[in-house]
Amino acid sequence: MRILQVNKFYYRRGGDCVVMMNTEKLLREAGHEVRAYAMHYPDNELADASSSFASEVQFAGGISNKLKALGRTLGMGDIRQSFKAVLAGFNPDVVHLHNIHSYLSPVLAQLAKEHGCRVVWTMHDYKLVCPAYAMLRDGKVCELCLGHGKLAVVSNRCMKGSLVASAVAWLEALKWNRNKLEKYTDALVCPSHFMGQMLANDGFSPDKIVVLPNFVPQTAGEAVVTEREPYYCYVGRLSTEKGIEQLLDVASQLPFRLKVAGSGQLDENLRGRYGTYGNIEFLGQLDAPGVHQLLEHARMSILPSQWYENNPMGVIESLMAGTPVVGTNKGGIPELINSCNGIVTELTGLSDAITEAMTSPWDYNAIADDARKKFSPETHLQQLLHIYGQK
């Protein structure tokens, strides 16, 4: 098959980028002809067809930048010509969209469908049901737009507290409404059942929704570390919705050692408040090997989110290393955790859950074996090709 993978950035900026690039590699290794399409950006990795990427737009800067960026969100400007040229030159059987709002545009789904491609779109965030992406308002879960018009994004200034940015998000949602997106898309791939339910609650047809969890590349036969060090770890953004402040408050009162890997807007503040505690260590941003090493030697990892996590890669990576997870009962987290591989808790129950997880015996090999079957590249590829319509 000829498959075009599409994401607004082409470097490992976030989970959407990682999933897209891993999928590209997985398909190519399976013998398919694969190309990538993204926006030109200084941090992008090299790609075979990078010369055909869309021009860069920026929401910062002068009025000309802002107008070009606004046009891009509505599918105007040079994006149409650029993508049509790629479709004509590569003539893909399948166009697989990932995170395309704002810096690219949902117009790509329309153009791909009109070209005769099968259009598959993976939901990495809640943008189709929440114009502000995350179903969060003032750091708390918000469902005001779910199943209703999206004007609440403007009245509540949900995009960065800005009336203008929120109005642009509303215009984008108005332009690319559910009826249009269902018309141009053959399958809406949801990494979690929770995400699928959110789309259904917003009126999307269940016939379009397919659940396919993320996968993690793995080394065949990689041994599981069974002698664990006496610490637990958090890997992720240091931001309010992740529940990191509540975690650190609890951790400071427990006898167990916590290692925190990640960065974000709360980084400096949290280091100032908790950096002097002897049982809390801030590691900063780690690369992929560093994260893997941290997880595989930990007694357990923790994800204390306050928001609707989708299919968090951090939980999957932890389980594939054989490391149990304590996670809050939010979004898709409970779908990944059972009594054999971790503990699901409310945010108010973190202290008891951490204590139980740190003092309980865990079968690290069994956790890894189960996760490597569920989230293996081979399992993912088989299901993905079925979604692509391969006979």
Side-chain angles (χ1 to χ4, degrees), residues 186-261:
D186 294 289
L188 299 168
V189 179
C190 297
S192 66
H193 289 279
F194 184 87
M195 172 64 79
Q197 189 59 57
M198 290 297 100
L199 290 184
N201 290 349
D202 199 54
F204 282 87
S205 171
D207 294 337
K208 296 278 186 176
I209 298 169
V210 183
V211 176
L212 177 63
N214 293 319
F215 74 97
V216 175
Q218 61 191 80
T219 303
E222 181 178 318
V224 176
V225 176
T226 54
E227 295 297 325
R228 299 300 176 109
E229 296 179 27
Y231 70 84
Y232 64 110
C233 62
Y234 168 86
V235 179
R237 291 194 308 275
L238 304 186
S239 54
T240 300
E241 74 275 6
K242 289 290 188 176
I244 182 64
E245 293 172 281
Q246 289 85 346
L247 169 60
L248 291 173
D249 185 54
V250 169
S252 67
Q253 302 173 52
L254 292 174
F256 312 110
R257 186 177 170 198
L258 169 65
K259 294 189 177 187
V260 178

Side-chain angles (χ1 to χ4, degrees), residues 59 62 65 82-83 122 136 158 210-211 241 277 286 293 304 308 318 332 343 357:
F59 287 86
N65 282 357
S82 169
F83 197 61
T122 294
L136 277 172
C158 295
V210 183
V211 176
E241 74 275 6
Y277 284 85
L286 300 181
Q293 184 176 20
Y308 289 155
S318 181
I343 299 171

Side-chain angles (χ1 to χ4, degrees), residues 333-362:
I333 296 175
E335 297 175 30
L336 301 173
I337 301 174
N338 57 53
S339 60
C340 297
N341 65 13
I343 299 171
V344 176
T345 181
E346 298 295 335
L347 200 59
T348 54
L350 280 183
S351 180
D352 289 342
I354 292 169
T355 300
E356 181 181 351
M358 287 295 288
T359 57
S360 296
W362 297 100

Side-chain angles (χ1 to χ4, degrees), residues 43 48 59 124 156 161-162 174 215 225 228 274 315 351 383:
D43 293 333
D48 294 339
F59 287 86
H124 295 285
N156 290 288
S162 165
L174 199 64
F215 74 97
V225 176
R228 299 300 176 109
Y274 298 99
V315 174
S351 180
Q383 296 178 35

